[in-house]
Amino acid sequence: RPPNRSLSTMNSDGTLRIEDQIINPIGEISESSEKLIWGISGDIYSPILRALVWDGAPEEVSPEDPSKYLAYRVLELTEQKFEYQTVVTGNVFQRRRVPDDFELPRTRRADR
């Protein structure tokens, strides 16, 4: 599996932006960004995909596509960490707080 990097910006108004980078074996970076809306009810985190851009090209997102509506069980939520698990597959994801001015690097890390 190729290395990847991801940065999420979750806002209190329910908007969410996710920037992803996938680095291939020769160091080329593919980028995507997603715009979502999100909410938490009880221990269920529900992001809904609204827009997707892959390597600069927008991709259509249909609000009628059920795969754009996701459900995760919240495992841990603190000021510094957000850990959640997909209800369908059981995959676990972790997000850690970074400074507000943090940006993803635009080059491959030397140690990869």
Side-chain angles (χ1 to χ4, degrees):
R1 181 176 168 173
N4 61 54
R5 300 183 277 222
S6 182
L7 178 64
S8 297
T9 305
M10 296 181 82
N11 299 300
S12 60
D13 67 359
T15 58
L16 168 61
R17 179 180 168 89
I18 300 175
E19 298 175 63
D20 289 308
Q21 295 179 338
I22 297 174
I23 305 166
N24 72 19
I26 63 170
E28 296 171 330
I29 298 174
S30 294
E31 296 181 312
S32 68
S33 66
E34 302 170 60
K35 290 183 181 178
L36 306 97
I37 55 174
W38 69 276
I40 294 179
S41 180
D43 67 345
I44 300 297
Y45 163 55
S46 301
I48 301 170
L49 184 62
R50 306 299 287 167
L52 175 64
V53 176
W54 184 258
D55 281 337
E59 293 189 18
E60 186 174 331
V61 176
S62 170
E64 297 175 3
D65 182 348
S67 71
K68 306 309 181 217
Y69 296 78
L70 306 172
Y72 300 90
R73 185 162 316 283
V74 176
L75 302 176
E76 183 177 352
L77 181 58
T78 68
E79 284 288 320
Q80 297 301 317
K81 182 180 176 184
F82 182 26
E83 184 173 5
Y84 50 96
Q85 180 178 36
T86 60
V87 171
V88 175
T89 67
N91 293 340
V92 174
F93 300 90
Q94 289 185 0
R95 301 276 181 190
R96 299 207 181 268
R97 182 172 289 249
V98 295
D100 289 343
D101 63 349
F102 181 86
E103 293 183 9
L104 289 175
R106 297 295 177 219
T107 58
R108 183 177 176 184
R109 288 183 11 197
D111 62 340
R112 298 273 182 196

